[in-house]
Amino acid sequence: MKHLTTPITDEDLSNLNVGDKITISGTIYTGRDAALPQLVELIKVNEVPFDLNGSVIMHTAFSDAGIAPTTSSKVEIESSIPFLSENGVKIHIGKGLLSDETIKELDKNNSVFVITPPVAALLTSKVLEKKCVLFENEGMEAMFELKVEKIPGIVAIKNKKSI
């Protein structure tokens, strides 16, 4: 098991291989269909109120029931991955398959895709604090900043290789 703490560095990623079991601690952000395209627009006009360099984004909503990954290959989510990686996001957490084009963009920007078990109770137990940081009008699909301790995952895509 490899343990990572945010912000994630290129050196952190150089020590990872496809299939590695990891945990992530520190600050991560949530985003899915409603929030990620809006985040891309904020980046384009330089209005993101937090630093994306070395960040981790989990493809999920946050409700009273907790968190669990959503399918990352949805058009609204997958289309944001290359741009977010280019702008500092190092790890994308979700589930499902990504296109060959997205895999190439992850590699080009030295970012990785991590899958995590869709077990809401397990993942929610790892959240220490939560705060809505963007798009509050989207309800549970708003972007949240989470302080987490040892979110589990498996490196699914790195250097154009996948599980």
Side-chain angles (χ1 to χ4, degrees), residues 24-41:
I24 300 171
S25 297
T27 300
I28 68 171
Y29 296 95
T30 66
R32 53 175 286 166
D33 315 42
L36 293 179
Q38 292 181 76
L39 178 60
V40 165
E41 293 306 311

Side-chain angles (χ1 to χ4, degrees), residues 80-105:
S80 73
I81 292 172
F83 190 80
L84 294 173
S85 294
E86 184 179 321
N87 284 277
V89 176
K90 289 296 182 186
I91 298 178
H92 302 266
I93 303 172
K95 68 178 185 177
L97 298 174
L98 298 179
S99 70
D100 289 343
E101 183 178 314
T102 300
I103 291 170
K104 287 177 189 172
E105 289 297 314

Side-chain angles (χ1 to χ4, degrees), residues 16-99:
L16 297 180
N17 297 299
V18 170
D20 282 351
K21 295 175 185 166
I22 65 169
T23 62
I24 300 171
S25 297
T27 300
I28 68 171
Y29 296 95
T30 66
R32 53 175 286 166
D33 315 42
L36 293 179
Q38 292 181 76
L39 178 60
V40 165
E41 293 306 311
L42 287 181
I43 292 169
K44 288 178 180 178
V45 295
N46 200 28
E47 292 186 7
V48 178
F50 47 86
D51 189 2
L52 286 172
N53 288 312
S55 65
V56 174
I57 292 182
M58 182 176 207
H59 304 151
T60 187
F62 200 107
S63 73
D64 291 338
I67 60 172
T70 193
T71 302
S72 300
S73 60
K74 294 178 188 175
V75 171
E76 299 85 357
I77 296 174
E78 186 166 4
S79 65
S80 73
I81 292 172
F83 190 80
L84 294 173
S85 294
E86 184 179 321
N87 284 277
V89 176
K90 289 296 182 186
I91 298 178
H92 302 266
I93 303 172
K95 68 178 185 177
L97 298 174
L98 298 179
S99 70

Side-chain angles (χ1 to χ4, degrees), residues 18-19 97-98 100 103 155-163:
V18 170
L97 298 174
L98 298 179
D100 289 343
I103 291 170
V155 177
I157 298 174
K158 182 178 187 245
N159 296 334
K160 299 182 195 173
K161 296 177 186 164
S162 60
I163 293 179

